[in-house]
């Protein structure tokens, strides 16, 4: 996409901030910063990383009713209606980002769509991986293992992606949560690819 200057980024940031609680907006700012750091380390477009990181959770506080409406309006797969916010805020969130914020860069929209579940190694671009990892590793995250995950990711973005997929899957299963098939698909694909 065209280079984004500081002014455009500040204007976008203001609009994102209006849609989110303070703590979630601050998470988005930190994801944007961490995405820029990982983009520089991995030869990924820094502007796209900054924007995608900033907007990735734009729809996280949208109501169930509005997500369901958007699924119909955007012609998304109706099966999505059986899921919840964890899945919607990325996949359906990309439609809000397009419609409300006017962001039409397909690379940014894909990074948002994949930021929760990840995707197969062939599907994920450098930008997708950077946003996926920045969401997990931003400076406000303090789960056990975050420092190890940051070190792994500094050495290899791909190993970082696999680490997150394995740990999130295991975390969700440990809590006996329903797991979206795309999360399994991504995990299996990276396990076969890297092992
Ligand atoms: P956040 O939006 O910054 O909180 O982070 P994410 O978008 O990565 O994840 C949102 C939530 O969805 C987290 O609690 C994840 O653990 C959870 N999550 C990730 N994958 C799945 C999945 O396959 N199924 C379900 N139910 N939750 C998931
Ligand atoms: Fe998210
Ligand atoms: Fe994530
Ligand atoms: Fe996030």
């Amino acid at each position: 996409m065209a280079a984004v200057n500081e002014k455009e980024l500040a204007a976008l940031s203001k609009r994102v901030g209006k849609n989110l609680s303070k703590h979630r907006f601050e998470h988005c700012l930190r994801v944007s910063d961490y995405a820029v750091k990982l983009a520089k380390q991995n030869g990924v477009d820094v502007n796209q990383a900054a924007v995608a990181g900033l907007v990735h959770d734009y729809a996280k506080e949208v109501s169930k009713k509005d997500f369901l409406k958007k699924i119909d309006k955007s012609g998304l797969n109706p099966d999505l209606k059986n899921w919840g916010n964890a899945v919607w805020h990325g996949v359906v969130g990309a439609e809000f980002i397009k419609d409300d914020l006017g962001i039409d860069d397909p690379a940014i929209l894909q990074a948002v769509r994949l930021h929760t579940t990840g995707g197969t190694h062939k599907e994920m671009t450098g930008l997708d991986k950077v946003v996926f990892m920045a969401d997990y590793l931003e400076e406000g995250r303090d789960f056990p293992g975050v420092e190890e995950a940051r070190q792994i990711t500094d050495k290899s973005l791909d190993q970082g992606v696999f680490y997150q997929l394995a740990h999130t899957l295991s975390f969700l299963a440990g809590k006996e949560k329903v797991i979206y098939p795309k999360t399994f698909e991504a995990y299996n694909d990276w396990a076969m690819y890297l092992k």
Side-chain angles (χ1 to χ4, degrees):
M1 72 182 279
V4 192
N5 61 39
E6 290 294 319
K7 237 172 136 181
E8 285 167 336
L9 206 58
L12 183 61
S13 177
K14 217 170 156 185
R15 296 197 62 183
V16 172
K18 282 198 182 131
N19 220 38
L20 296 174
S21 56
K22 184 167 181 280
H23 87 276
R24 188 153 284 117
F25 176 54
E26 285 170 357
H27 161 69
C28 288
L29 293 175
R30 291 191 301 266
V31 171
S32 183
D33 287 348
Y34 210 96
V36 165
K37 166 193 135 87
L38 291 176
K40 286 178 181 159
Q41 286 171 209
N42 291 282
V44 166
D45 186 295
V46 169
N47 289 310
Q48 286 178 315
V51 172
L54 177 63
V55 302
H56 83 286
D57 277 341
Y58 171 76
K60 185 95 179 187
E61 293 166 7
V62 166
S63 69
K64 176 172 178 175
K65 184 173 129 263
D66 287 346
F67 273 125
L68 294 173
K69 267 203 261 174
K70 191 64 114 184
I71 291 168
D72 282 334
K73 193 187 146 265
S74 301
L76 299 181
N77 189 336
D79 171 66
L80 273 171
K81 292 182 184 172
N82 299 315
W83 296 84
N85 182 284
V87 171
W88 294 336
H89 83 280
V91 179
V92 190
E95 304 301 318
F96 283 95
I97 289 163
K98 197 163 50 177
D99 297 345
D100 298 1
L101 302 177
I103 292 175
D104 57 4
D105 180 340
I108 292 177
L109 297 174
Q110 171 162 307
V112 172
R113 287 188 187 105
L114 297 184
H115 90 264
T116 306
T117 58
T120 65
H121 80 276
K122 280 202 180 136
E123 180 177 25
M124 289 185 93
T125 63
L127 180 66
D128 297 338
K129 296 176 200 173
V130 158
V131 174
F132 184 64
M133 293 319 299
D135 184 30
Y136 193 58
L137 302 176
E138 56 94 344
E139 294 298 340
R141 297 282 197 204
D142 67 349
F143 58 86
V146 68
E147 217 21 78
E148 186 195 8
R150 288 189 183 117
Q151 282 169 20
I152 290 167
T153 307
D154 277 341
K155 282 204 209 112
S156 161
L157 188 58
D158 282 359
Q159 291 291 344
V161 168
F162 184 56
Y163 181 100
Q164 177 179 174
L165 287 169
H167 285 256
T168 299
L169 201 60
S170 137
F171 170 78
L172 292 169
K175 298 220 301 180
E176 302 184 354
K177 294 271 191 197
V178 176
I179 296 174
Y180 193 56
K182 183 138 185 107
T183 306
F184 283 115
E185 187 201 5
Y187 169 79
N188 278 330
D189 178 78
W190 281 92
M192 280 187 249
Y193 174 61
L194 290 177
K195 294 283 158 173

